[in-house]
Amino acid sequence: MMHSFGELVTKFTTCFNVRHFPIAPATLYDPCEYFLGLGGKRIRPVMCLMGNEMFDEIIPDAYHVANAIELFHNFTLIHDDIMDKAPLRRGMQTVHTKYDEPTALLSGDVMMIQAYEYINKVKSNCIHRILTLFNKTAAQVCEGQQLDMDFEKKQTVDLDDYIEMIGLKTSVLMAASLQLGAILGGAGDSNAKHLYEFGLNLGIAFQVQDDYLDAFGDPEKFGKKVGGDIVANKKTFLLIHALNVATETQKEELQNLLKQNEDDKVEKVLSIYKSCGVDEWARSLKEKYITAAFQHLEDIAVVSVRKKPLKELTSFLIQRDF
């Protein structure tokens, strides 16, 4: 009996909502528990469970690896918030704002160590493959974050370079979560690889959607003000494409808008985006990556009913307007 994405979120959340850290020193461990208490969609660890269930019943090891994935993901968020000087995460104070930066650094570090403690509980004889993939992915996420920071200093960024950065920063963890589950479920190499590629393409489509919603989403549903990326001068799929296709006049206007923060900046940038057809282009780019993802899903040699939860997940991630 396959579980739906929603059912697995509930199962994982029940398993994950326990105390993961010792009581003392409270000054180190309470910030970790505080941050985990902010919640989150828990998409990545659930992808690990889905990867397992696609090939066999979910084994206890899959929950250990899912815990490790979620702790690793939260460790990256704590450190990202410091780098971005972000005051809020999910509407609540970030760790470095609520406590201080040294505490946030140490809390992130110890969260990463706790992730390895969960991997250490894995009984399966494929532990070596699990550790190799987990470590490779962890390093790639750091590479992606570094590229993202490098891009902030650059005037222009090439679209292919941006896609590579998003792949490392966002997609590889989704892809690896699915493949880690597949390995635990006994998948063969070819099936595990297709599942990884499915996750990689889905992750890029997810980011295109995110960039798109930030500019063109409905603030009521999106839950935050539209145009946050524009105000922050973030290099996004939309901005990179606009600078590629804009006329000289539009390009000049865009560059000038990026240098200032007038009240009507978002409106003016959106108007240039629309006249360059950026909204349509972003939608077709998203479709391109979803089509590629589904082709890899199609190529996995299991009965189609086993693929249904992943199709549901794709709808949840890509057709969301929040």
Side-chain angles (χ1 to χ4, degrees):
M1 169 64 191
M2 301 287 290
H3 294 88
S4 71
F5 170 65
E7 287 166 347
L8 286 177
V9 170
T10 307
K11 279 173 86 72
F12 176 74
T13 306
T14 307
C15 144
F16 190 73
N17 284 355
V18 296
R19 190 172 174 101
H20 295 273
F21 297 93
I23 301 295
T27 45
L28 173 65
Y29 293 125
D30 285 358
C32 295
E33 294 292 343
Y34 160 76
F35 194 72
L36 294 177
L38 300 183
K41 299 195 231 5
R42 313 293 189 215
I43 292 164
R44 293 154 191 83
V46 170
M47 286 172 114
C48 174
L49 302 181
M50 293 172 94
N52 178 164
E53 193 168 45
M54 191 174 209
F55 301 97
D56 207 344
E57 279 181 28
I58 299 176
I59 60 173
D61 278 348
Y63 281 94
H64 295 321
V65 175
N67 281 339
I69 289 165
E70 185 62 8
L71 287 169
F72 169 75
H73 177 58
N74 278 277
F75 141 72
T76 65
L77 297 182
I78 292 177
H79 282 193
D80 282 2
D81 286 343
I82 300 171
M83 291 178 237
D84 295 342
K85 301 184 170 44
L88 297 176
R89 162 82 56 187
R90 303 183 187 120
M92 300 288 283
Q93 281 184 301
T94 45
V95 176
H96 69 276
T97 313
K98 186 174 167 68
Y99 302 92
D100 54 43
E101 269 190 26
T103 299
L105 284 170
L106 280 175
S107 296
D109 291 345
V110 83
M111 199 173 275
M112 174 66 156
I113 293 161
Q114 190 55 35
Y116 280 103
E117 276 301 299
Y118 277 107
I119 290 183
N120 205 18
K121 294 180 180 189
V122 171
K123 303 269 192 294
S124 162
N125 58 4
C126 56
I127 180 67
H128 182 66
R129 284 170 71 198
I130 297 287
L131 207 47
T132 303
L133 179 55
F134 189 85
N135 286 346
K136 178 186 168 195
T137 306
Q140 287 175 318
V141 173
C142 295
E143 290 166 14
Q145 177 65 12
Q146 182 63 51
L147 288 175
D148 196 12
M149 295 192 304
D150 293 349
F151 290 172
E152 281 175 26
K153 301 184 188 83
K154 286 175 137 180
Q155 203 61 52
T156 54
V157 173
D158 184 69
L159 182 65
D160 289 342
D161 292 342
Y162 184 74
I163 289 171
E164 184 201 7
M165 182 275 286
I166 292 301
L168 292 166
K169 189 178 166 178
T170 303
S171 302
V172 293
L173 189 54
M174 289 183 168
S177 298
L178 286 166
Q179 193 177 7
L180 287 164
I183 291 169
L184 290 166
D189 283 348
S190 169
N191 280 346
K193 186 85 182 89
H194 278 304
L195 193 53
Y196 184 89
E197 291 296 330
F198 165 79
L200 214 49
N201 284 286
L202 180 61
I204 294 172
F206 175 74
Q207 187 61 49
V208 177
Q209 170 85 343
D210 224 44
D211 287 1
Y212 175 86
L213 287 177
D214 189 89
F216 300 107
D218 174 348
E220 287 295 300
K221 293 177 178 166
F222 195 40
K224 48 185 170 182
K225 229 167 69 192
V226 165
D229 288 346
I230 294 172
V231 174
N233 290 337
K234 270 196 166 173
K235 309 262 189 330
T236 63
F237 278 105
L238 312 180
L239 178 61
I240 291 167
H241 183 68
L243 289 168
N244 274 340
V245 300
T247 63
E248 282 310 312
T249 320
Q250 288 171 325
K251 205 175 280 190
E252 206 173 307
E253 198 187 335
L254 250 183
Q255 299 283 20
N256 287 333
L257 284 164
L258 295 178
K259 289 184 190 123
Q260 42 167 309
N261 260 331
E262 303 294 322
D263 289 344
D264 56 357
K265 175 175 175 172
V266 172
E267 266 170 88
K268 284 183 170 164
V269 170
L270 286 180
S271 137
I272 296 174
Y273 280 1
K274 282 183 177 153
S275 59
C276 292
V278 169
D279 46 346
E280 284 303 317
W281 171 82
R283 284 203 287 269
S284 67
L285 185 67
K286 181 180 84 172
E287 285 310 317
K288 178 185 132 180
Y289 281 102
I290 293 173
T291 305
F294 276 140
Q295 187 54 58
H296 283 290
L297 191 59
E298 198 52 45
D299 291 341
I300 296 171
V302 296
V303 289
S304 60
V305 68
R306 291 193 163 270
K307 301 176 184 179
K308 194 166 163 262
L310 281 178
K311 289 181 177 165
E312 275 176 21
L313 172 69
T314 306
S315 300
F316 169 73
L317 289 179
I318 301 300
Q319 284 156 15
R320 69 201 167 95
D321 41 19
F322 54 88

